[in-house]
Amino acid sequence: MGFIPVFVLTVLFFVMMFGIGFILNMLMKTTWFPAYLFVLVILPVVVYSIWDRSSVTLWEHLSSFHPVDYLTGIAGLAGAVLSGWTIRRLRLGGYKMF
């Protein structure tokens, strides 16, 4: 993949997880739930759903991912964590609606 599509994909995953995390944090009155959800549910579901279990082991499957796959996962996790940090800062700043 070229640089531009990788950059757009990374920014898209970051913004998407930040937005979803921010909305979840506001609705559920939590702080770190989206980050935990991303690590404990979303990443394993994605890995499991595309894994051909008949031919390779888990470690071979994880090593078959390209750097772009890991980069988008890290960008999504960063967006989820940053949404929790932002909500925490807003609450400490006195905004009660968050």
Side-chain angles (χ1 to χ4, degrees):
M1 282 185 117
F3 175 75
I4 299 295
V6 171
F7 180 74
V8 168
L9 187 64
T10 303
V11 171
L12 179 69
F13 268 78
F14 176 82
V15 170
M16 180 180 65
M17 284 309 299
F18 180 84
I20 292 170
F22 195 85
I23 291 169
L24 278 176
N25 282 329
M26 280 193 314
L27 294 176
M28 297 179 65
K29 298 290 185 187
T30 64
T31 302
W32 301 111
F33 177 72
Y36 296 141
L37 181 73
F38 188 81
V39 171
L40 297 175
V41 176
I42 295 173
L43 285 180
V45 165
V46 168
V47 168
Y48 185 76
S49 67
I50 61 175
W51 179 21
D52 182 19
R53 289 164 296 288
S54 65
S55 64
V56 296
T57 65
L58 174 64
W59 299 113
E60 291 172 347
H61 175 64
L62 291 178
S63 67
S64 70
F65 288 148
H66 298 290
V68 124
D69 301 324
Y70 290 111
L71 188 61
T72 55
I74 290 169
L77 180 62
V81 169
L82 189 63
S83 72
W85 182 82
T86 303
I87 287 288
R88 192 178 82 194
R89 286 282 147 209
L90 287 169
R91 287 183 188 144
L92 289 175
Y95 293 94
K96 300 296 181 198
M97 70 177 122
F98 298 111

